[in-house]
Amino acid sequence: MTIESTLSELAIDIAREAGELARRRRDEGVRIAATKSGLADIVTEADREVEALIRARVDAERPGDGFLGEESGAGESTTGVTWVVDPIDGTVNYAYGIPAYAVSIGVVQGTPDPREWTALAGVVHNPATGELFHAARGAGAFLGERPIAVNAAPDASGALIATGFGYDPEKRTRQLAVLGKMMPIARDIRRMGAASLDLTAVAAGRVDAYYESGLWPWDQAAGALIVEEAGGIVGALDGERASRDLLIAAAPGFWPAFTQALADALAS
Ligand code: IPD
Ligand code: CA
């Protein structure tokens, strides 16, 4: 077994257990524990509890691996491998009972920065629907047992485009203006509320492309590998790698037209 598939199997197992806890806490009723950077940026007690569960299992089963989580911060790696974790991506959906949230677990080699890491394994699990997307580097992307693939280029009637908004009100105004400029090439727009699920939607051909500015490493680590293993491209403009500035995900056949439209929208 390769290191990638060993890590992927462990990540799947941990994501299932974490998802079960998240779903149970959701059924019991969610309490918002704190507001972070802005009114929309909330954390529930379940976010913290689910991250603690994931961290404890990683520490027990892979001592020496690093950890970078949304709620509990960073832990150094002595193995070169780091677990990049969003315990509940789509926290606002979770708090409102919208069944579009996910446990996102990426395992990366090297500095835990999307511009530098090599992703080894990724799991995105939505416990509300039971769907579990996973990929190990070089071994393809799957929804459960089924291999998945990105769409070919959309036809002239337009692309189904997913995006998201950060929590900073000023940035949101700008993001809405950019989105307005993307409408001419769009069949329609989706704002699903969880970056990891937007990425897996590209991977499974449920949308044609996704872009967002302001993503954290844990929003993208798992989902970006799943897109790439499903035959898609993840990056930014001008051949740059995805980062907090910008992440774009699309099929190779749609990449040139989509990135050109986005570059124009961002420049105007
Ligand atoms: C957020 C979601 C949302 C995206 C934001 C993220 P959170 O993560 O993924 O879709 O637009 O940029 O911060 O706060 O729900 O874990
Ligand atoms: Ca998140």
Side-chain angles (χ1 to χ4, degrees), residues 178-198:
V178 170
L179 180 58
K181 294 186 187 117
M182 295 299 285
M183 283 313 274
I185 67 155
R187 178 190 298 275
D188 207 344
I189 299 292
R190 293 290 177 272
R191 195 290 189 249
M192 289 182 276
S196 60
L197 293 177
D198 290 316

Side-chain angles (χ1 to χ4, degrees), residues 11-13 15-16 122-126 129-134 142-146 200 226:
I12 289 171
D13 195 52
R16 283 223 175 88
V123 177
V124 175
H125 174 40
N126 178 352
T129 60
E131 288 190 326
L132 190 144
F133 298 86
H134 59 102
F142 298 83
L143 167 52
E145 306 276 293
R146 185 169 64 80
T200 55
I226 295 169

Side-chain angles (χ1 to χ4, degrees), residues 100-149:
Y101 62 91
V103 176
S104 175
I105 302 181
V107 193
V108 307
Q109 177 96 49
T111 321
D113 176 328
R115 284 165 305 188
E116 288 171 31
W117 70 39
T118 301
L120 302 176
V123 177
V124 175
H125 174 40
N126 178 352
T129 60
E131 288 190 326
L132 190 144
F133 298 86
H134 59 102
R137 179 164 216 86
F142 298 83
L143 167 52
E145 306 276 293
R146 185 169 64 80
I148 51 173

Side-chain angles (χ1 to χ4, degrees), residues 174 177-178 181-182 237 246 259-268:
R174 163 97 181 116
V178 170
K181 294 186 187 117
M182 295 299 285
L237 296 175
L246 181 63
T259 51
Q260 187 57 58
L262 193 53
D264 292 347
L266 286 164
S268 56

Side-chain angles (χ1 to χ4, degrees), residues 2 8 38 46 49 56 60 70 76-77 97 107 111 145 150 158 168 205 236 242 247 263:
T2 62
S8 170
E49 199 185 351
E70 173 155 25
E76 284 293 303
S77 175
V107 193
T111 321
E145 306 276 293
V150 296
D168 177 344
L247 177 145

